[in-house]
Amino acid sequence: MNSSVTTPNPTPFVPVFLDLIDRRSELLRTNVPQIVQIEQLRQLTMGTFGRSLADFLDQNNLQPFTTGPRRKQLHDAVHVLTGYGTDPIGEAEVQAFLLGSKFRLAHLLLGFGLLRIIHKHSLNISWNALWRAYQRGRNSQLDVNTWQPELLWEVPLTQVQELYQV
């Protein structure tokens, strides 16, 4: 008898969603060449934005997104910039932040989807934390449609956060 207990993946839709983004961006011709070159970022000085992104990916056992549009490929850079985690609650905070920085229906829909996952798995969520993330986005100078973090990889993370008022 197998005594191991498997925990269900709270986000089984993620690979399907990412594939949908890639297919849509292919149709719209918004795909871009790979932006995040993880090996190059690992060579940067500790504390720089790029090295912080590489460390974040490594610590969370993630690979950078290498296909699709800029926004998809730079999603994890938003996590680094804001400090929000990669669990469903952290992802909801990222969506609240992005919704505050620039209203997009996609952020709202993703946020509601994440809230459904959080509720379904009885995870504790702080509505105040989501509100703070939203307000933080409203007060920031980040426009995820136009930012070019790859030009800031060598800049200390704290300076990049100051630049975007995050």
Side-chain angles (χ1 to χ4, degrees):
M1 181 168 134
N2 186 349
S3 62
S4 67
V5 176
T6 59
T7 306
N9 180 356
T11 56
F13 70 91
V14 170
V16 173
F17 179 72
L18 294 174
D19 184 56
L20 179 66
I21 290 173
D22 282 352
R23 286 189 282 133
R24 181 178 181 271
S25 63
E26 182 71 32
L27 289 172
L28 296 174
R29 296 190 173 153
T30 57
N31 285 344
V32 297
Q34 181 177 343
I35 297 169
V36 177
Q37 305 290 335
I38 191 71
E39 289 304 322
Q40 291 175 2
L41 297 183
R42 286 183 179 129
Q43 301 305 312
L44 296 174
T45 304
M46 295 282 287
T48 60
F49 184 37
R51 176 63 181 270
S52 296
L53 175 57
D55 292 345
F56 171 85
L57 293 168
D58 290 343
Q59 290 164 0
N60 288 285
N61 199 28
L62 298 171
Q63 293 296 315
F65 294 122
T66 58
T67 61
R70 288 183 59 79
R71 288 190 56 163
K72 175 190 165 198
Q73 291 191 38
L74 296 172
H75 173 79
D76 290 318
V78 176
H79 280 278
V80 171
L81 193 63
T82 60
Y84 298 130
T86 59
D87 62 324
I89 293 172
E91 292 291 350
E93 288 173 314
V94 165
Q95 294 309 315
F97 173 85
L98 292 171
L99 185 64
S101 69
K102 185 168 189 164
F103 183 87
R104 300 263 325 229
L105 184 58
H107 299 143
L108 192 59
L109 295 174
L110 284 169
F112 281 135
L114 289 162
L115 290 175
R116 183 172 181 259
I117 291 167
I118 290 165
H119 174 73
K120 182 178 179 182
H121 293 278
S122 301
L123 300 173
N124 292 324
I125 186 163
S126 165
W127 295 105
N128 288 335
L130 289 179
W131 179 249
R132 282 191 305 272
Y134 173 80
Q135 289 299 320
R136 193 173 173 205
R138 297 257 317 146
N139 295 325
S140 78
Q141 295 299 311
L142 181 67
D143 182 344
V144 294
N145 291 330
T146 60
W147 77 318
Q148 295 181 309
E150 64 273 28
L151 301 178
L152 302 170
W153 291 149
E154 296 182 19
V155 176
L157 173 59
T158 55
Q159 287 182 16
V160 176
Q161 290 168 321
E162 288 173 15
L163 175 68
Y164 292 114
Q165 298 177 12
V166 175

